[in-house]
Every structure is written in structure tokens, then in C-alpha cells.
Amino acid sequence: AQVNGTLNNKRFPDDFKFGVATASYQVEGAWNEDGKGENVWDQVTHRVPSPIVNNDTGDVACDSYHKYKEDVAMLKDLGVDFYRFSISWSRILPTGFDNKINEAGLQYYKNLVKELRANGIEPLVTLYHWDLPQPLQDIGGWPNEIIIDKYVDYARVLFRELGDEVKYWLTFNEPKQTCNAGYGLAQKAPFITSPGMADYLCTHNVLRAHAKTWRLYDEQFRKDQKGTIGITLDIQWYEPSSNSTADIEAAETKMQFALGWYANPIVYGDYPSIMQSNIARRSAQEGFKESRLPQFTEEEKKYMKGTYDFLGVNLYTASLVRATDEPNPSMGLDEDSEVLAWQPDDWETAFSSWLKVVPWGMRKLVTWMKNTYDNPKIMITENGYSDSGTLEDDGRISYYERYLSSLRDAMEFDEVDVIGYAAWSLMDNFEWLAGYSEKFGLYHVDFNSPNRERTAKKSALWYKNLLETRCLVEECVD
Ligand code: PNW
């Protein structure tokens, strides 16, 4: 049907799933209650001086550990199909190891899942959203390959204890942030500076832990539990800054260094060839006997390949890319890519400086993923907009409207297999380094009140209406 001269394709299919997302450290609070162990975010937010804006911590956060029934009531009111939340490893296994299971922690998630189910909401569980148990960091964290089996032990407990009720799993949230920001650039816990070295080792272990966990589920739980398991990767859209072949190639290289670093091994069994060749050449120039990029054995490549049921992706923003004749000789992921990326000053910006509003990047990204990864099922597991916290959040509504419209176009015109979408976030929460200074919620949370009262913003009402009508324009004509 034609509306105002354009094809009206703005209704989402009936089987398309809408949800909202949160993460354990950002909302739960109760950081040391009922037997929970310390994790790396507890550790860094308690440092003096603190690396976090206003010395904020997640000690109480939204207090969802005590208020989960209120959270579910909000979800019910929004009318979501699913709720994406993450599990705190230290709440389940306080030492990080499976020598001791904390029943109280497990019970919290059982209660949450039960409450969701009682309200007809599907749980989508992220096993790991950055909150590594501190005792595992104390033995080296993700760059130490011992961690692979510790992660699989943790996953086994969750599949066994929650798998009857949870049918959608994500092994990792944004491993690029864990590895590159956490162990390369010291921008996320545990704030280690080892670019182009520890971040590559971290990723190698995350990928092997992911594959082993997917295979564990596939071989030992899938038959009985009949669930589905993927991973969530973070990516910006990288747009060539000109029509030149060099800039088009540079943008492709950047996509491979960001998304391909993880997606290529999982889909095809090995790192992207451009990463392998660039990093091998540069490592040799630097005097290393072997490439700084670790290598998979042939056996590992076979084992890794195809370990996903769907690909989750978190998209917020975009950058421009250009080729350069003078590559930066320093070690690091960006330097190893040998291309330049930046965000123009005149692009519309949210409250977070990195969050340029670039809706057309959504369609370009999922279409690129379709073409690059053999038409996978794709779920947008996060997409969202920050402001300073107003209830009249028209900027957020406009952001969602435009990004969803771009996504819908990709489904309609490029036939991308997108199965669902989660808005980040259900409510304002602990925004990592920015503490509580940047807000992403559909619901406002009063962090000055001990009760942490929640209030629906204008965007919550907008999202609720979208979920009812499934239609992005005033009237959808079928
Ligand atoms: C996500 N980028 O991280 C995280 O998963 C959330 O926990 C977080 O609160 C949310 O974004 C908002 O910051 C991102 O490259 C990682 O554009 C990378 C990007 C964006 C968000």
C-alpha cells in the first residue's frame, strides 16, 4: 500500500519479538547480599580514587534484586514479548569456581524467571555481561586460558538449574568491550592497558569458551530443553567517507576488525584474513617470532565453526572511515587495522559524546551481516539513546522511530532475517564509567530515593503503543 507516495511497509510481522534489555551489574544492586561474591565492577567502583563519574557505584543501582516484581509489572505494562537480562556470575558462584553454589543467588533468578513466565514474558538470558568474579581476575582473567573451563562450568550450572524455563540464551554480551576496552585500552573493568596483546588473548579465550558452551548446550541440553543459543556482538556501522575504492575497502576492513573479529570465527571457523595478514606482518616488523593474533588449531576451527543459532547485535551509532598512507606503528586493534575512523562534529548527538544518531546505519549493518555471514537469523539485542533524564524524552522517541524504521526497511527490501529487537534500556541504570550521569531508560528511576521509584517516561508510552499496533506510522495499511 502507498501512504503519502511511499511504500507503507512499517508494520512488523506478527512473529517479530519486541523486548527491552538490562544487565545485572547495572540494575541489581545488593552487591554483597545473600552470599554474592565480589566481581571486577565491584572492585573498580570501590577504588579510591574511583574511575567512575561522581564516584558512582552499582552497590544499590535500581535495587532490582529486591524490586524484581515491580520490574516485571513495568514489563507487563509495556507489553513486551521478552525481557533480556543478565546473570551475575558472582551471585551464583561466589568464588567464580563451581566448588560452591550460592542457592540464594540462584533462587533470585528462579523467582525472576517464574514471575516473567507468570506474566507471559519470555526470558532472554545473557550469561555474561562484563561482571567477572574477582577471584578469576586475580588469576589473570580472560587472557588466561584456564578461564575457558571455568566459564563452561558456570554455564553448565545455569543450563541445569534454569534451562527448563529459559529458552533463549546469549553466551556473551559484547566481548569486544570486555577484551578491547577491558584488557586493551583500560576503559572498562579490569582497566588493563595492553593493546594489541591482552585484548587478543582475551578474545581467543572468549571465543573458545563460547564455542565450548554452545556445544555443551547442543550436545547435552538442547534435546530436553529445546532452547536456542547465540552471542551478542557490539558494532557501529562504518561508512566509507568517499566513493573511492580505497575508502570503501577501508570501511570493510574496519567492519572485519570490529565485528569479524568475533563473527568470522563463529560463523566460518577463523579470524578474518585481513586481521591475520595485517597483524602477522606488523608483529614480524615489531620483532615478534609469532603473530600477536593467536591462531586456532585445525581442530579448533572445526569445533568453532557454526556455533550459533542466531547472531545478536547491539547497534547504537556509526562512524566514517578512510584509508591512510601513513599507518600508526603503535600496537593495538585500531592501529593494526591501518584505517582511520571518526565521527563528524556536525552529526546529531545524544547525551553520550560517542552516541551520534545515525539511523540509516541500522539497515546498512544488518544487510551487511546478511551478505557477509550467509543470511543468519539476527536479533537486535540493544539499541538506545541517552539524555540527561527528562520525562518528556522526545529525543528518545525520535531515535527509536528512525532506527526501527531503518530496520523495518532492511527486512522488507533487503529480506534480512531479523527475529527481534530489544530497546536499551527498561529503566535508567548504572552506565559504567558515566555512572548515573547518562540515562538510557524508558522508565525514570529516582536514584536519590531509597525506594528507587520508577516513573514511565513519554518514550515508555510510545513503545507500549508500538508494541500494541506493531506499526511505526500513524496508520499501517496492510
Ligand atoms: C552497550 N559502540 O555498550 C552495553 O552493552 C550496555 O551495558 C550499555 O549500558 C549500553 O551500551 C549503553 O552504553 C556499547 O561501539 C558498546 O557504539 C559499544 C558501543 C555502544 C554501546
Side-chain angles (χ1 to χ4, degrees):
Q2 300 268 345
V3 174
N4 299 333
T6 54
L7 185 67
N8 175 17
N9 67 315
K10 300 304 183 187
R11 192 195 294 284
F12 283 85
D14 288 339
D15 60 353
F16 188 85
K17 307 285 187 218
F18 281 104
V20 292
T22 63
S24 48
Y25 188 78
Q26 296 180 273
V27 302
E28 284 179 5
W31 78 278
N32 61 356
E33 272 182 59
D34 290 350
K36 178 181 162 293
E38 188 188 36
N39 64 44
V40 292
W41 280 94
D42 296 318
Q43 205 276 344
V44 305
T45 57
H46 294 156
R47 281 184 198 171
V48 182
S50 164
I52 313 294
V53 171
N54 296 326
N55 299 330
D56 286 338
T57 74
D59 289 0
V60 181
C62 308
D63 201 22
S64 287
Y65 186 69
H66 298 110
K67 296 172 82 75
Y68 71 92
K69 286 196 177 173
E70 263 183 61
D71 293 349
V72 176
M74 280 144 59
L75 293 161
K76 174 84 177 170
D77 190 52
L78 281 174
V80 295
D81 299 304
F82 69 93
Y83 178 41
R84 174 177 177 237
F85 63 94
S86 80
I87 291 185
S88 161
W89 187 338
S90 314
R91 217 181 269 298
I92 306 292
L93 305 177
T95 66
F97 299 85
D98 70 351
N99 61 315
K100 183 170 168 285
I101 296 179
N102 179 30
E103 288 301 332
L106 206 45
Q107 195 58 48
Y108 168 67
Y109 296 106
K110 286 185 177 169
N111 293 342
L112 172 57
V113 166
K114 194 169 161 207
E115 188 73 9
L116 289 168
R117 285 253 172 256
N119 286 281
I121 300 162
E122 187 81 37
L124 165 58
V125 174
T126 310
L127 274 65
Y128 183 80
H129 197 123
W130 307 353
D131 41 3
L132 185 71
Q134 184 61 33
L136 294 176
Q137 181 51 39
D138 291 340
I139 59 167
W142 287 105
N144 178 354
E145 68 181 359
I146 295 281
I147 202 167
I148 298 170
D149 285 340
K150 303 310 148 203
Y151 176 87
V152 177
D153 289 343
Y154 162 60
R156 186 182 299 106
V157 172
L158 298 186
F159 296 153
R160 191 179 66 214
E161 298 287 337
L162 295 166
D164 286 340
E165 295 295 333
V166 174
K167 303 301 164 191
Y168 289 90
W169 299 97
L170 292 161
T171 53
F172 288 90
N173 177 71
E174 303 189 346
K176 179 167 179 273
Q177 296 300 313
T178 299
C179 294
N180 183 237
Y183 293 90
L185 304 174
Q187 292 167 350
K188 297 264 159 68
F191 290 100
I192 284 167
T193 304
S194 174
M197 187 58 79
D199 44 1
Y200 291 165
L201 296 169
C202 169
T203 293
H204 206 60
N205 295 330
V206 164
L207 284 166
R208 291 186 291 171
H210 162 82
K212 208 162 177 178
T213 301
W214 188 89
R215 296 216 173 269
L216 170 74
Y217 189 82
D218 196 52
E219 285 156 23
Q220 294 181 30
F221 293 93
R222 192 194 292 278
K223 191 168 155 290
D224 293 333
Q225 300 186 347
K226 301 187 173 54
T228 164
I229 175 163
I231 185 169
T232 278
L233 307 175
D234 65 291
I235 185 66
Q236 309 186 9
W237 173 249
Y238 289 108
E239 176 73 9
S241 59
S242 83
N243 286 334
S244 76
T245 313
D247 288 343
I248 291 169
E249 269 174 25
E252 173 71 17
T253 295
K254 195 73 189 168
M255 289 300 292
Q256 293 296 345
F257 269 76
L259 195 68
W261 189 13
Y262 297 91
N264 212 78
I266 290 168
V267 175
Y268 297 118
D270 205 352
Y271 294 116
S273 56
I274 185 76
M275 285 192 84
Q276 294 186 41
S277 55
N278 275 19
I279 300 169
R281 168 172 44 78
R282 292 168 66 94
S283 300
Q285 283 162 358
E286 290 153 1
F288 290 101
K289 284 200 287 298
E290 289 178 339
S291 177
R292 286 182 278 104
L293 186 72
Q295 288 182 21
F296 295 113
T297 64
E298 288 309 312
E299 206 181 331
E300 282 175 331
K301 289 180 198 168
K302 271 191 229 134
Y303 187 80
M304 184 83 50
K305 186 178 171 177
T307 53
Y308 63 102
D309 300 328
F310 64 95
L311 293 178
V313 67
N314 295 347
L315 177 83
Y316 290 82
T317 192
S319 289
L320 295 179
V321 181
R322 72 175 171 83
T324 168
D325 291 334
E326 289 167 29
N328 184 331
S330 305
M331 274 164 52
L333 181 72
D334 289 346
E335 293 81 353
D336 286 343
S337 75
E338 300 184 333
V339 302
L340 299 176
W342 75 98
Q343 294 180 306
D345 289 336
D346 60 351
W347 279 4
E348 185 184 341
T349 312
F351 196 60
S352 316
S353 57
W354 56 270
L355 215 178
K356 301 286 179 188
V357 180
V358 192
W360 47 263
M362 180 64 96
R363 177 174 175 183
K364 292 207 178 196
L365 169 72
V366 295
T367 303
W368 185 88
M369 288 176 71
K370 175 191 174 181
N371 296 332
T372 308
Y373 301 118
D374 195 20
N375 195 20
K377 287 190 192 314
I378 295 172
M379 187 185 303
I380 308 300
T381 41
E382 282 178 33
N383 171 238
Y385 176 88
S386 60
D387 60 23
S388 59
T390 170
L391 293 178
E392 297 288 314
D393 56 342
D394 296 293
R396 178 165 294 106
I397 294 173
S398 162
Y399 178 100
Y400 281 134
E401 212 162 41
R402 289 178 285 162
Y403 273 73
L404 278 163
S405 177
S406 175
L407 181 66
R408 187 66 191 85
D409 284 347
M411 296 164 66
E412 179 83 8
F413 302 118
D414 307 329
E415 297 179 346
V416 184
D417 191 0
V418 187
I419 59 175
Y421 173 95
W424 182 272
S425 175
L426 171 61
M427 58 192 150
D428 295 341
N429 57 48
F430 178 82
E431 177 54 20
W432 310 112
L433 286 198
Y436 298 99
S437 67
E438 296 174 7
K439 322 278 192 179
F440 281 83
L442 295 170
Y443 282 77
H444 175 273
V445 177
D446 184 354
F447 293 104
N448 294 317
S449 151
N451 289 328
R452 297 295 193 271
E453 277 90 3
R454 284 92 156 112
T455 310
K457 300 180 190 176
K458 197 170 168 186
S459 59
L461 304 178
W462 179 85
Y463 200 52
K464 178 184 162 110
N465 179 63
L466 170 69
L467 273 44
E468 248 165 47
T469 61
R470 308 200 147 243
C471 168
L472 274 170
V473 290
E474 213 141 280
E475 201 181 342
C476 279
V477 189
D478 288 312

